[in-house]
């Protein structure tokens, strides 16, 4: 079964063809990073305009890379939420049009669920229940999945997302956007114990995150150094900040995995590309709990993960009508 996936929730226009939810035939991605980087973050209206300009080209690329014709598609999966509303509507309109024209089923996909399903493009979906961490620019969620397509968000950020904290701190450090990869690059040469940034643990038993205190501490520290002329080793600063984010993400996720007695932990979202996060997970998870991270290209936004999540919904009979709508939340 060939599913066409469409993803336009943020600043990547992506279309993909995936066979049976697990085998990628194509995964075309047009990134808008150059458009937004001068503003230090994604500008919603510019994102919508870029999606309008790119969507048909990216669709053509996905079909031709897959070596098929559009008529071979058996279903269309599209991200409906959460995301930037104008951006989501571009992908949704394209998906509805294709579904209507080809008379194939349409299914709306939750973007967070898709980030979890990115894992099943590399490992079989055969071990349940699962605890997943999805950490990106817009969300940081700990999710419990008792069985396929069943998602319970058990922890979430109360303020900034992990990726957002990376992006805002990187901006204050004069690094480019996106901030995560920039901080990771210079952190490799720094000492992660040099600066003791605050880690919010919240109430006993909570799986929620809070990154705004950490972000503010980093920004204040940076500002103070600029004013007083104090020399800060930017490598140590980056490494210490990154370690604080990683510690919080790993602590809560590992706690959830133990409490929910799962045998598998899956990670996804742009921040999952971070090597320090990967290493911290490997060092903290008790033996007997399997850990998987998608390839970095499948961690950041892409339509293959949407096609995968959509496939598993379609085979269960989850089919949406043309009244399907987008939702920013
Ligand atoms: O999943 P994604 O592509 O888009 C959203 O749904 O937000 O994630 C993008 C976010 C950005 O905040 C970016 O700074 C962060 O993921 N990111 C990273 C890394 N690569 C991307 N954060 C830390 N380390 C990385 N290597
Ligand atoms: Zn995402």
């Amino acid at each position: 079964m060939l599913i066409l996936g469409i993803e336009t929730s943020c600043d990547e226009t992506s279309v993909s063809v995936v066979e049976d939810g697990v085998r990628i035939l194509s995964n075309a991605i047009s990134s808008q990073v150059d458009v937004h980087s001068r503003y230090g973050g994604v500008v919603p209206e510019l994102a919508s305009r870029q999606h309008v300009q790119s969507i048909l080209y990216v669709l053509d690329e996905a079909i031709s890379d897959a070596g098929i014709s559009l008529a071979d598609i058996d279903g269309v999966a599209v991200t409906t939420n959460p995301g930037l509303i104008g951006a989501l509507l571009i992908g949704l309109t394209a998906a509805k049009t294709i579904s209507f024209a080809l008379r194939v089923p349409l299914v709306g996909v939750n973007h967070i669920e898709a980030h979890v399903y990115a894992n099943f493009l590399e490992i079989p979906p055969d071990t349940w229940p699962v605890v997943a961490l999805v950490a990106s620019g817009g969300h940081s969620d700990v999710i419990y999945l008792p069985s396929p397509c069943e998602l319970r968000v058990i922890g979430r950020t109360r303020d900034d997302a992990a990726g957002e904290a990376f992006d805002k701190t990187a901006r204050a450090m004069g690094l480019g956007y996106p901030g995560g990869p920039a901080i990771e690059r210079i952190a490799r040469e720094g000492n992660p114990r040099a600066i003791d940034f605050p880690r919010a643990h919240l109430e006993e038993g909570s799986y929620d995150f809070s990154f705004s205190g950490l972000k503010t501490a980093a920004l204040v520290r940076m500002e103070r150094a600029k004013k007083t002329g104090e020399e800060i080793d930017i490598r140590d600063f980056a490494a210490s900040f990154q370690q604080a984010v990683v510690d919080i993400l790993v602590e809560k996720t590992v706690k959830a995995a133990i409490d929910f007695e799962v045998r598998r932990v899956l990670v996804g979202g742009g921040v999952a590309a971070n090597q320090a996060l990967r290493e911290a997970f490997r060092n903290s998870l008790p033996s007997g709990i399997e850990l998987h991270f998608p390839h970095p290209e499948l961690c950041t936004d892409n339509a293959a993960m949407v096609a995968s999540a959509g496939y598993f919904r379609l085979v269960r009979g989850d089919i949406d009508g043309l009244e399907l709508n987008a939702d920013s939340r």
Side-chain angles (χ1 to χ4, degrees):
M1 193 170 175
L2 294 184
I3 302 298
L4 185 78
I6 300 181
E7 158 64 43
T8 62
S9 68
C10 192
D11 61 342
E12 257 94 31
T13 315
S14 180
V15 182
S16 167
V17 179
V18 171
E19 188 176 20
D20 297 334
V22 296
R23 200 168 81 85
I24 301 175
L25 300 193
S26 68
N27 192 16
I29 304 172
S30 168
S31 171
Q32 306 178 1
V33 162
D34 295 344
V35 176
H36 302 287
S37 59
R38 54 189 290 216
Y39 303 103
V42 178
V43 183
E45 176 58 21
L46 291 182
S48 305
R49 287 186 217 172
Q50 287 295 317
H51 287 307
V52 171
Q53 282 180 14
S54 310
I55 187 79
L56 293 180
Y57 296 104
V58 178
L59 170 65
D60 281 347
E61 192 182 326
I63 294 296
S64 97
D65 286 357
I68 61 165
S69 71
L70 195 55
D72 297 326
I73 293 297
D74 300 301
V76 185
V78 61
T79 306
T80 50
N81 68 293
L84 304 170
I85 192 69
L88 287 164
L89 285 169
I90 315 293
L92 180 62
T93 306
K96 284 183 184 179
T97 309
I98 295 165
S99 158
F100 182 72
L102 299 180
R103 295 191 167 79
V104 294
L106 170 73
V107 62
V109 169
N110 175 294
H111 184 79
I112 314 292
E113 180 171 337
H115 272 302
V116 177
Y117 274 74
N119 288 278
F120 301 134
L121 296 162
E122 296 177 339
I123 56 167
D126 59 1
T127 306
W128 305 91
V130 159
V131 158
L133 168 71
V134 175
S136 73
H139 23 258
S140 298
D141 295 322
V142 182
I143 303 152
Y144 174 62
L145 296 95
S147 61
C149 305
E150 217 187 316
L151 261 87
R152 290 187 212 150
V153 177
I154 54 172
R156 53 162 47 101
T157 182
R158 300 215 180 140
D159 37 60
D160 294 341
E164 191 181 355
F166 268 109
D167 294 337
K168 288 179 177 164
T169 303
R171 191 171 167 182
M173 294 169 74
L175 305 170
Y177 173 85
I183 287 184
E184 175 170 22
R185 216 170 302 123
I186 57 169
R188 275 187 213 123
E189 298 180 353
N191 172 10
R193 308 270 161 237
I195 304 170
D196 189 18
F197 282 120
R199 288 137 170 89
H201 297 285
L202 305 174
E203 320 80 63
E204 179 79 22
S206 169
Y207 305 111
D208 283 355
F209 305 110
S210 166
F211 292 106
S212 75
L214 165 63
K215 176 200 68 185
T216 305
L219 300 191
V220 166
R221 182 82 203 234
M222 208 29 117
E223 275 309 307
R224 198 179 67 203
K226 275 184 202 154
K227 278 206 193 100
T228 61
E230 178 200 349
E231 284 271 339
I232 284 192
D233 187 322
I234 199 103
R235 296 163 303 184
D236 286 350
F237 190 93
S240 303
F241 172 81
Q242 173 176 269
Q243 193 61 49
V245 177
V246 162
D247 284 350
I248 300 167
L249 291 174
V250 171
E251 180 197 303
K252 301 283 176 164
T253 312
V254 169
K255 178 174 162 30
I258 294 169
D259 292 351
F260 283 79
E261 299 179 349
V262 300
R263 283 170 41 226
R264 190 178 245 186
V265 168
L266 303 175
V267 190
V271 179
N274 188 283
Q275 294 299 328
L277 179 72
R278 292 172 178 234
E279 199 180 314
F281 261 117
R282 275 185 228 114
N283 294 335
S284 318
L285 265 186
S287 59
I289 302 182
E290 182 201 353
L291 171 70
H292 188 76
F293 286 84
H295 186 275
E297 243 176 63
L298 294 174
C299 287
T300 45
D301 289 350
N302 67 88
M305 66 185 193
V306 177
S308 174
Y311 167 82
F312 288 100
R313 289 209 164 264
L314 277 178
V315 293
R316 281 164 38 119
D318 285 1
I319 297 176
D320 289 300
L322 291 177
E323 72 285 351
L324 181 65
N325 208 349
D327 187 351
S328 61
R329 283 164 303 147

